[in-house]
Amino acid sequence: MSILARIRAHGGEVIRSDWRLTIRRGRLTDAALEWLRRPRVREAVLEEVWPEAGEFEERAAIREFDGGMSRAEAEEAAYREVMKC
């Protein structure tokens, strides 16, 4: 069962706004929410919700480290490029 399916099975919901995630608790326990905050788990959820997440992360990192942009600027530009806005 996918992580997203587990969240939904407990009445929770994952909402994506651009490249950010918000999790509505539902009946998820504090321990479950803590587990969902782990970077690798959060990455896996983002990949389930938004398959382009890996491409977005790569483009943002290149812009930040090679292009000298701030992280916020790099994420904004990468999002526009990946979503072709």
Coordinates of all heavy atoms in Angstrom, one line a residue:
M1 N 0.9 -1.2 0.0 CA 0.0 0.0 0.0 C 0.9 1.2 0.0 O 1.9 1.3 0.7 CB -0.9 0.0 1.2 CG -1.8 1.2 1.4 SD -2.8 1.3 2.8 CE -4.0 0.0 2.5
S2 N 0.6 2.2 -0.8 CA 1.4 3.4 -0.9 C 1.2 4.3 0.4 O 0.2 4.1 1.1 CB 0.9 4.3 -2.1 OG -0.3 4.9 -1.9
I3 N 2.1 5.2 0.6 CA 2.0 6.1 1.7 C 0.8 6.9 1.6 O 0.1 7.1 2.6 CB 3.3 6.9 1.9 CG1 4.5 6.1 2.1 CG2 3.2 8.0 3.0 CD1 5.8 6.8 2.0
L4 N 0.5 7.4 0.5 CA -0.7 8.3 0.3 C -2.0 7.5 0.6 O -2.9 8.0 1.2 CB -0.7 8.7 -1.2 CG -1.7 9.8 -1.6 CD1 -1.5 11.0 -0.7 CD2 -1.5 10.2 -3.0
A5 N -2.0 6.2 0.2 CA -3.2 5.4 0.5 C -3.3 5.2 2.0 O -4.4 5.2 2.5 CB -3.1 4.0 -0.2
R6 N -2.2 5.0 2.7 CA -2.2 4.9 4.2 C -2.8 6.1 4.8 O -3.5 6.1 5.8 CB -0.9 4.6 4.7 CG -0.3 3.2 4.4 CD 1.0 3.0 5.0 NE 1.8 2.0 4.4 CZ 3.0 1.7 4.7 NH1 3.6 2.3 5.7 NH2 3.6 0.7 4.1
I7 N -2.3 7.3 4.3 CA -2.8 8.5 4.9 C -4.3 8.7 4.7 O -5.0 9.0 5.7 CB -2.0 9.7 4.2 CG1 -0.6 9.7 4.6 CG2 -2.7 11.1 4.6 CD1 0.3 10.7 3.8
R8 N -4.7 8.4 3.5 CA -6.2 8.5 3.2 C -7.0 7.5 4.0 O -8.1 7.8 4.4 CB -6.4 8.3 1.7 CG -5.9 9.4 0.9 CD -6.1 9.2 -0.6 NE -5.7 10.4 -1.3 CZ -5.3 10.3 -2.6 NH1 -5.3 9.2 -3.2 NH2 -5.0 11.4 -3.2
A9 N -6.4 6.3 4.2 CA -7.1 5.2 5.0 C -7.4 5.7 6.5 O -8.3 5.2 7.1 CB -6.4 3.9 5.0
H10 N -6.6 6.6 6.9 CA -6.7 7.2 8.3 C -7.4 8.5 8.3 O -7.3 9.3 9.2 CB -5.4 7.2 9.0 CG -4.9 5.9 9.4 ND1 -4.1 5.1 8.5 CD2 -5.0 5.2 10.5 CE1 -3.8 4.0 9.1 NE2 -4.4 4.0 10.3
G11 N -8.1 8.8 7.2 CA -8.8 10.1 7.1 C -8.0 11.3 6.9 O -8.5 12.4 6.9
G12 N -6.7 11.1 6.6 CA -5.8 12.2 6.3 C -5.9 12.6 4.8 O -6.5 11.9 4.0
E13 N -5.3 13.7 4.5 CA -5.3 14.2 3.2 C -3.9 14.9 2.9 O -3.4 15.6 3.8 CB -6.4 15.2 3.0 CG -6.6 15.7 1.6 CD -7.8 16.7 1.5 OE1 -8.4 16.9 2.5 OE2 -8.0 17.1 0.4
V14 N -3.4 14.8 1.7 CA -2.2 15.5 1.3 C -2.6 16.5 0.2 O -3.2 16.2 -0.7 CB -1.1 14.5 0.7 CG1 0.1 15.3 0.2 CG2 -0.7 13.5 1.8
I15 N -2.2 17.7 0.5 CA -2.5 18.8 -0.4 C -1.2 19.4 -1.0 O -0.4 19.7 -0.2 CB -3.4 19.9 0.3 CG1 -4.6 19.3 0.8 CG2 -3.6 21.1 -0.7 CD1 -5.2 20.0 2.0
R16 N -1.1 19.5 -2.3 CA 0.0 20.1 -2.9 C -0.3 21.4 -3.4 O -1.3 21.6 -4.1 CB 0.5 19.2 -4.1 CG 1.8 19.8 -4.7 CD 2.3 18.9 -5.9 NE 1.5 18.9 -7.0 CZ 1.6 19.8 -8.0 NH1 2.5 20.7 -8.0 NH2 0.8 19.7 -9.1
S17 N 0.5 22.4 -3.0 CA 0.4 23.7 -3.6 C 1.8 24.1 -4.2 O 2.8 24.2 -3.4 CB 0.1 24.7 -2.5 OG 0.0 26.1 -3.0
D18 N 1.8 24.1 -5.5 CA 3.1 24.2 -6.2 C 4.0 23.0 -5.8 O 3.6 21.9 -6.0 CB 3.8 25.6 -5.9 CG 3.0 26.7 -6.5 OD1 2.2 26.6 -7.4 OD2 3.1 27.8 -5.9
W19 N 5.1 23.3 -5.1 CA 6.0 22.2 -4.8 C 6.0 21.9 -3.2 O 6.7 21.2 -2.7 CB 7.5 22.5 -5.2 CG 8.0 23.7 -4.6 CD1 8.7 23.8 -3.4 CD2 7.9 25.1 -5.1 NE1 9.0 25.2 -3.1 CE2 8.5 25.9 -4.1 CE3 7.3 25.6 -6.2 CZ2 8.6 27.3 -4.3 CZ3 7.4 27.0 -6.4 CH2 8.0 27.8 -5.4
R20 N 5.0 22.5 -2.6 CA 4.9 22.4 -1.1 C 3.7 21.4 -0.8 O 2.7 21.4 -1.4 CB 4.6 23.7 -0.5 CG 5.8 24.7 -0.7 CD 5.4 26.1 -0.2 NE 6.3 27.1 -0.7 CZ 6.1 27.8 -1.8 NH1 5.0 27.6 -2.5 NH2 7.0 28.7 -2.2
L21 N 3.9 20.7 0.3 CA 2.9 19.8 0.8 C 2.3 20.2 2.1 O 3.1 20.7 3.0 CB 3.5 18.4 1.0 CG 4.0 17.6 -0.2 CD1 4.5 16.2 0.3 CD2 2.9 17.4 -1.2
T22 N 1.0 20.0 2.3 CA 0.4 20.2 3.5 C -0.4 18.9 3.8 O -1.0 18.3 2.9 CB -0.7 21.4 3.5 OG1 0.0 22.5 3.1 CG2 -1.3 21.6 4.8
I23 N -0.3 18.4 5.1 CA -1.0 17.2 5.4 C -2.1 17.5 6.4 O -1.8 18.1 7.5 CB 0.0 16.2 6.0 CG1 1.0 15.8 5.0 CG2 -0.8 14.9 6.5 CD1 2.1 14.9 5.4
R24 N -3.3 17.2 6.1 CA -4.4 17.3 7.0 C -4.5 16.0 7.8 O -4.5 14.9 7.2 CB -5.7 17.6 6.2 CG -5.7 18.9 5.6 CD -7.1 19.5 5.4 NE -7.0 20.8 4.9 CZ -7.8 21.2 3.8 NH1 -8.7 20.4 3.3 NH2 -7.6 22.4 3.4
R25 N -4.5 16.2 9.1 CA -4.3 15.1 10.0 C -5.3 14.0 9.9 O -5.0 12.8 10.0 CB -4.3 15.7 11.4 CG -4.1 14.6 12.5 CD -4.1 15.2 13.8 NE -3.6 14.3 14.8 CZ -2.6 14.4 15.6 NH1 -2.0 15.6 15.7 NH2 -2.2 13.5 16.4
G26 N -6.6 14.2 9.9 CA -7.6 13.2 9.9 C -7.4 12.4 11.3 O -7.3 13.0 12.3
R27 N -7.3 11.1 11.2 CA -7.1 10.3 12.4 C -5.7 9.8 12.6 O -5.4 8.9 13.3 CB -8.1 9.1 12.4 CG -9.5 9.4 12.4 CD -10.4 8.2 12.3 NE -10.1 7.2 11.3 CZ -10.5 7.4 10.0 NH1 -11.2 8.4 9.6 NH2 -10.2 6.4 9.1
L28 N -4.8 10.5 11.9 CA -3.3 10.1 12.0 C -2.8 10.4 13.4 O -3.1 11.5 14.0 CB -2.5 10.8 11.0 CG -2.7 10.5 9.5 CD1 -2.1 11.5 8.6 CD2 -2.2 9.1 9.2
T29 N -2.1 9.5 14.0 CA -1.6 9.7 15.3 C -0.4 10.6 15.3 O 0.2 10.9 14.2 CB -1.1 8.3 15.9 OG1 0.0 7.9 15.1 CG2 -2.2 7.3 15.9
D30 N 0.0 11.1 16.5 CA 1.2 12.0 16.6 C 2.4 11.2 16.0 O 3.3 11.8 15.3 CB 1.5 12.4 18.0 CG 0.4 13.4 18.5 OD1 -0.3 14.0 17.7 OD2 0.3 13.5 19.7
A31 N 2.6 9.9 16.3 CA 3.7 9.2 15.8 C 3.7 9.1 14.3 O 4.7 9.2 13.7 CB 3.7 7.8 16.4
A32 N 2.5 8.9 13.7 CA 2.4 8.9 12.2 C 2.8 10.2 11.6 O 3.5 10.2 10.6 CB 1.0 8.5 11.8
L33 N 2.4 11.3 12.2 CA 2.7 12.6 11.7 C 4.2 12.8 11.8 O 4.9 13.4 10.9 CB 2.0 13.7 12.5 CG 0.5 13.8 12.1 CD1 -0.2 14.8 13.1 CD2 0.2 14.1 10.7
E34 N 4.8 12.4 12.9 CA 6.3 12.5 13.1 C 7.0 11.7 12.0 O 8.0 12.2 11.5 CB 6.7 12.0 14.5 CG 8.1 12.4 14.9 CD 8.4 13.9 14.9 OE1 7.5 14.6 15.3 OE2 9.5 14.2 14.5
W35 N 6.5 10.5 11.7 CA 7.1 9.7 10.7 C 7.0 10.4 9.3 O 8.0 10.4 8.6 CB 6.4 8.3 10.7 CG 7.0 7.4 9.7 CD1 8.1 6.7 9.7 CD2 6.4 7.0 8.4 NE1 8.3 5.9 8.6 CE2 7.2 6.1 7.8 CE3 5.2 7.4 7.8 CZ2 7.0 5.6 6.5 CZ3 4.9 6.9 6.5 CH2 5.8 5.9 5.9
L36 N 5.9 11.0 9.1 CA 5.7 11.7 7.8 C 6.6 12.9 7.6 O 6.9 13.4 6.5 CB 4.3 12.1 7.6 CG 3.3 11.0 7.4 CD1 1.8 11.5 7.5 CD2 3.5 10.4 6.0
R37 N 7.1 13.4 8.7 CA 8.1 14.6 8.7 C 9.5 14.2 8.3 O 10.3 15.1 8.0 CB 8.1 15.3 10.0 CG 6.8 16.1 10.3 CD 6.9 16.9 11.6 NE 5.6 17.4 11.9 CZ 4.8 17.0 12.8 NH1 5.1 15.9 13.6 NH2 3.6 17.5 13.0
R38 N 9.8 12.9 8.3 CA 11.1 12.5 7.9 C 11.4 12.9 6.5 O 10.5 12.6 5.6 CB 11.3 11.0 8.1 CG 11.2 10.5 9.5 CD 11.4 9.0 9.6 NE 11.3 8.6 11.0 CZ 11.3 7.3 11.4 NH1 11.4 6.4 10.4 NH2 11.2 7.0 12.6
P39 N 12.6 13.4 6.2 CA 12.8 13.9 4.8 C 12.6 12.8 3.7 O 12.0 13.1 2.7 CB 14.3 14.3 4.9 CG 14.5 14.7 6.3 CD 13.7 13.7 7.1
R40 N 13.0 11.6 3.9 CA 12.9 10.5 2.9 C 11.4 10.2 2.7 O 10.9 9.9 1.6 CB 13.7 9.3 3.3 CG 15.1 9.5 3.0 CD 15.9 8.2 3.1 NE 17.3 8.4 2.8 CZ 18.2 7.7 3.3 NH1 18.0 6.7 4.1 NH2 19.5 8.0 3.0
V41 N 10.6 10.2 3.8 CA 9.2 9.8 3.7 C 8.5 11.0 3.0 O 7.7 10.8 2.1 CB 8.6 9.6 5.1 CG1 7.1 9.4 5.0 CG2 9.3 8.4 5.8
R42 N 8.8 12.2 3.4 CA 8.2 13.4 2.7 C 8.5 13.4 1.2 O 7.6 13.7 0.4 CB 8.7 14.6 3.4 CG 7.9 15.9 3.2 CD 8.2 16.9 4.2 NE 7.5 18.1 4.0 CZ 6.2 18.3 4.3 NH1 5.5 17.3 4.9 NH2 5.6 19.4 4.0
E43 N 9.8 13.1 0.9 CA 10.1 13.0 -0.6 C 9.3 11.9 -1.3 O 8.8 12.1 -2.4 CB 11.6 12.6 -0.7 CG 12.6 13.7 -0.7 CD 14.0 13.2 -0.8 OE1 14.2 12.2 -1.6 OE2 14.9 13.8 -0.2
A44 N 9.1 10.8 -0.6 CA 8.3 9.7 -1.2 C 6.8 10.1 -1.4 O 6.2 9.8 -2.5 CB 8.4 8.4 -0.4
V45 N 6.3 10.8 -0.5 CA 4.9 11.3 -0.6 C 4.8 12.3 -1.7 O 3.9 12.3 -2.6 CB 4.4 12.0 0.7 CG1 3.1 12.6 0.5 CG2 4.3 10.9 1.8
L46 N 5.8 13.3 -1.8 CA 5.8 14.3 -2.8 C 5.9 13.6 -4.2 O 5.2 14.0 -5.2 CB 7.0 15.2 -2.7 CG 7.1 16.4 -3.7 CD1 5.8 17.2 -3.6 CD2 8.3 17.3 -3.4
E47 N 6.7 12.5 -4.4 CA 6.8 11.8 -5.6 C 5.5 11.1 -6.0 O 5.1 11.1 -7.2 CB 7.9 10.7 -5.5 CG 9.3 11.3 -5.7 CD 9.7 11.7 -7.1 OE1 9.1 11.2 -8.1 OE2 10.6 12.5 -7.2
E48 N 4.7 10.6 -5.0 CA 3.4 10.0 -5.3 C 2.4 11.1 -5.7 O 1.7 10.8 -6.7 CB 2.9 9.4 -4.0 CG 3.5 8.0 -3.7 CD 2.7 7.4 -2.6 OE1 1.5 7.2 -2.7 OE2 3.4 7.0 -1.6
V49 N 2.5 12.2 -5.1 CA 1.5 13.3 -5.4 C 1.9 14.0 -6.7 O 1.0 14.5 -7.4 CB 1.4 14.3 -4.2 CG1 0.5 15.5 -4.5 CG2 0.9 13.6 -3.0
W50 N 3.2 14.2 -6.9 CA 3.7 15.0 -8.0 C 4.9 14.3 -8.6 O 6.0 14.5 -8.2 CB 4.1 16.4 -7.5 CG 4.4 17.4 -8.5 CD1 3.9 17.6 -9.8 CD2 5.5 18.4 -8.4 NE1 4.5 18.6 -10.4 CE2 5.5 19.1 -9.6 CE3 6.4 18.7 -7.4 CZ2 6.4 20.2 -9.8 CZ3 7.3 19.7 -7.6 CH2 7.3 20.5 -8.8
P51 N 4.6 13.5 -9.7 CA 5.7 12.7 -10.3 C 6.9 13.6 -10.8 O 8.0 13.1 -10.9 CB 5.0 12.0 -11.4 CG 3.6 12.0 -11.0 CD 3.4 13.2 -10.3
E52 N 6.7 14.8 -11.1 CA 7.8 15.7 -11.6 C 8.7 16.2 -10.5 O 9.6 17.0 -10.7 CB 7.2 16.9 -12.3 CG 6.4 16.5 -13.6 CD 4.9 16.3 -13.3 OE1 4.5 16.3 -12.1 OE2 4.2 16.1 -14.3
A53 N 8.5 15.8 -9.3 CA 9.2 16.3 -8.1 C 10.7 16.1 -8.2 O 11.5 17.0 -7.9 CB 8.7 15.7 -6.8
G54 N 11.2 15.0 -8.7 CA 12.6 14.7 -8.9 C 13.2 15.7 -9.9 O 14.3 16.2 -9.6
E55 N 12.6 15.9 -11.0 CA 13.1 16.8 -12.0 C 13.1 18.3 -11.4 O 14.1 19.0 -11.6 CB 12.2 16.8 -13.2 CG 12.6 17.7 -14.3 CD 11.7 17.6 -15.6 OE1 10.8 16.8 -15.6 OE2 11.9 18.4 -16.5
F56 N 12.1 18.6 -10.7 CA 12.0 19.9 -10.0 C 13.2 20.1 -9.1 O 13.9 21.1 -9.1 CB 10.7 20.1 -9.3 CG 10.7 21.2 -8.2 CD1 10.6 22.5 -8.6 CD2 10.9 20.8 -6.9 CE1 10.7 23.5 -7.6 CE2 10.9 21.8 -5.9 CZ 10.8 23.1 -6.2
E57 N 13.4 19.1 -8.2 CA 14.5 19.2 -7.2 C 15.9 19.4 -7.9 O 16.7 20.2 -7.5 CB 14.5 18.0 -6.3 CG 13.4 18.0 -5.3 CD 13.6 19.0 -4.2 OE1 14.7 19.5 -4.0 OE2 12.6 19.4 -3.7
E58 N 16.1 18.6 -9.0 CA 17.4 18.7 -9.7 C 17.6 20.1 -10.3 O 18.7 20.7 -10.2 CB 17.4 17.6 -10.8 CG 18.7 17.6 -11.5 CD 18.8 16.5 -12.6 OE1 17.8 15.7 -12.7 OE2 19.7 16.5 -13.4
R59 N 16.6 20.6 -10.9 CA 16.7 21.9 -11.6 C 16.9 23.0 -10.5 O 17.6 24.0 -10.8 CB 15.5 22.2 -12.5 CG 15.5 21.3 -13.7 CD 14.2 21.4 -14.4 NE 14.1 20.3 -15.4 CZ 14.0 20.6 -16.7 NH1 14.0 21.8 -17.2 NH2 14.0 19.6 -17.6
A60 N 16.2 22.9 -9.4 CA 16.3 23.9 -8.4 C 17.7 23.9 -7.8 O 18.4 24.9 -7.6 CB 15.3 23.7 -7.3
A61 N 18.3 22.7 -7.6 CA 19.6 22.6 -7.0 C 20.7 23.1 -8.0 O 21.6 23.8 -7.6 CB 20.0 21.1 -6.7
I62 N 20.5 22.9 -9.3 CA 21.5 23.4 -10.3 C 21.4 24.9 -10.2 O 22.5 25.6 -10.2 CB 21.2 22.9 -11.7 CG1 21.5 21.4 -11.7 CG2 21.9 23.7 -12.7 CD1 21.0 20.7 -13.0
R63 N 20.2 25.5 -10.2 CA 20.1 27.0 -10.2 C 20.7 27.6 -8.9 O 21.3 28.6 -8.9 CB 18.6 27.3 -10.3 CG 18.1 27.2 -11.7 CD 16.6 27.7 -11.7 NE 16.2 27.9 -13.1 CZ 15.9 26.9 -13.9 NH1 16.0 25.7 -13.6 NH2 15.5 27.2 -15.1
E64 N 20.5 26.9 -7.8 CA 21.0 27.4 -6.5 C 22.5 27.3 -6.5 O 23.2 28.3 -6.1 CB 20.4 26.6 -5.4 CG 20.8 27.1 -4.0 CD 20.2 26.3 -2.9 OE1 19.6 25.3 -3.1 OE2 20.4 26.7 -1.7
F65 N 23.1 26.1 -6.8 CA 24.5 25.9 -6.6 C 25.4 26.4 -7.7 O 26.4 27.0 -7.5 CB 24.8 24.5 -6.2 CG 24.3 24.1 -4.9 CD1 23.1 23.3 -4.9 CD2 24.8 24.5 -3.7 CE1 22.5 23.0 -3.6 CE2 24.3 24.2 -2.5 CZ 23.1 23.4 -2.5
D66 N 24.9 26.2 -9.0 CA 25.7 26.6 -10.1 C 25.3 28.0 -10.6 O 26.2 28.7 -11.1 CB 25.6 25.6 -11.3 CG 26.1 24.3 -11.0 OD1 27.0 24.2 -10.1 OD2 25.8 23.3 -11.6
G67 N 24.1 28.4 -10.4 CA 23.6 29.7 -10.9 C 23.6 30.8 -9.8 O 23.4 31.9 -10.2
G68 N 23.9 30.4 -8.6 CA 24.1 31.4 -7.6 C 22.8 32.1 -7.1 O 22.8 33.1 -6.4
M69 N 21.7 31.4 -7.4 CA 20.4 31.9 -6.9 C 20.1 31.5 -5.5 O 20.7 30.5 -5.0 CB 19.2 31.4 -7.8 CG 19.3 31.7 -9.2 SD 18.0 30.8 -10.2 CE 16.9 32.2 -10.5
S70 N 19.3 32.3 -4.8 CA 18.8 31.8 -3.5 C 17.9 30.6 -3.6 O 17.4 30.3 -4.7 CB 18.0 33.0 -2.8 OG 16.7 33.1 -3.4
R71 N 17.7 29.9 -2.6 CA 16.9 28.6 -2.7 C 15.5 29.0 -3.1 O 14.9 28.3 -4.0 CB 16.9 27.9 -1.3 CG 16.1 26.6 -1.4 CD 16.8 25.6 -2.3 NE 15.9 24.4 -2.5 CZ 16.2 23.4 -3.3 NH1 17.3 23.4 -4.0 NH2 15.4 22.4 -3.3
A72 N 14.9 30.1 -2.6 CA 13.6 30.5 -2.9 C 13.5 30.8 -4.4 O 12.5 30.4 -5.1 CB 13.1 31.6 -2.1
E73 N 14.5 31.6 -4.9 CA 14.5 32.0 -6.4 C 14.6 30.7 -7.2 O 14.0 30.6 -8.3 CB 15.6 32.9 -6.6 CG 15.5 34.3 -6.0 CD 16.8 35.1 -6.1 OE1 17.9 34.5 -6.1 OE2 16.6 36.3 -6.3
A74 N 15.5 29.8 -6.8 CA 15.8 28.6 -7.6 C 14.5 27.7 -7.7 O 14.2 27.2 -8.7 CB 17.0 27.9 -7.0
E75 N 13.8 27.6 -6.6 CA 12.6 26.8 -6.6 C 11.6 27.4 -7.4 O 10.9 26.7 -8.2 CB 12.1 26.6 -5.1 CG 12.9 25.7 -4.3 CD 12.5 25.6 -2.9 OE1 11.8 26.5 -2.3 OE2 12.8 24.5 -2.3
E76 N 11.4 28.7 -7.4 CA 10.4 29.4 -8.2 C 10.7 29.2 -9.7 O 9.8 28.8 -10.4 CB 10.3 30.9 -7.8 CG 9.2 31.6 -8.5 CD 7.9 31.3 -7.9 OE1 7.7 31.0 -6.7 OE2 6.9 31.2 -8.8
A77 N 11.9 29.4 -10.1 CA 12.3 29.3 -11.5 C 12.2 27.8 -11.9 O 11.7 27.5 -13.0 CB 13.7 29.8 -11.7
A78 N 12.6 26.9 -11.1 CA 12.5 25.5 -11.5 C 11.1 25.0 -11.6 O 10.7 24.3 -12.5 CB 13.2 24.6 -10.4
Y79 N 10.2 25.5 -10.7 CA 8.8 25.1 -10.8 C 8.2 25.6 -12.1 O 7.5 24.9 -12.8 CB 8.0 25.7 -9.6 CG 6.6 25.3 -9.6 CD1 6.2 24.1 -9.3 CD2 5.6 26.2 -10.1 CE1 4.8 23.7 -9.3 CE2 4.3 25.9 -10.1 CZ 3.9 24.6 -9.8 OH 2.6 24.2 -9.8
R80 N 8.5 26.9 -12.5 CA 8.0 27.4 -13.7 C 8.5 26.6 -14.9 O 7.7 26.3 -15.8 CB 8.4 28.9 -13.9 CG 7.5 29.8 -13.0 CD 7.7 31.3 -13.4 NE 9.1 31.7 -13.6 CZ 9.9 32.2 -12.7 NH1 9.4 32.4 -11.5 NH2 11.1 32.5 -13.0
E81 N 9.7 26.2 -14.9 CA 10.3 25.4 -16.0 C 9.7 24.0 -16.1 O 9.3 23.6 -17.2 CB 11.8 25.3 -15.8 CG 12.4 24.6 -17.0 CD 13.9 24.5 -16.9 OE1 14.5 25.1 -16.0 OE2 14.5 23.7 -17.7
V82 N 9.6 23.4 -14.9 CA 9.0 22.0 -15.0 C 7.6 22.0 -15.4 O 7.1 21.2 -16.1 CB 9.2 21.3 -13.6 CG1 8.4 20.0 -13.5 CG2 10.7 21.1 -13.3
M83 N 6.8 23.0 -14.9 CA 5.4 23.1 -15.2 C 5.1 23.8 -16.5 O 4.0 23.9 -16.9 CB 4.6 23.7 -14.0 CG 4.8 22.9 -12.7 SD 4.3 21.2 -12.9 CE 2.6 21.3 -13.1
K84 N 6.2 24.4 -17.1 CA 6.1 25.1 -18.3 C 5.1 26.3 -18.3 O 4.3 26.4 -19.1 CB 5.8 24.2 -19.5 CG 6.9 23.1 -19.5 CD 6.9 22.3 -20.7 CE 7.9 21.2 -20.8 NZ 8.7 20.8 -19.7
C85 N 5.2 27.0 -17.1 CA 4.3 28.2 -16.9 C 4.9 29.4 -17.7 O 6.0 29.6 -17.8 CB 4.3 28.5 -15.4 SG 3.5 27.2 -14.4

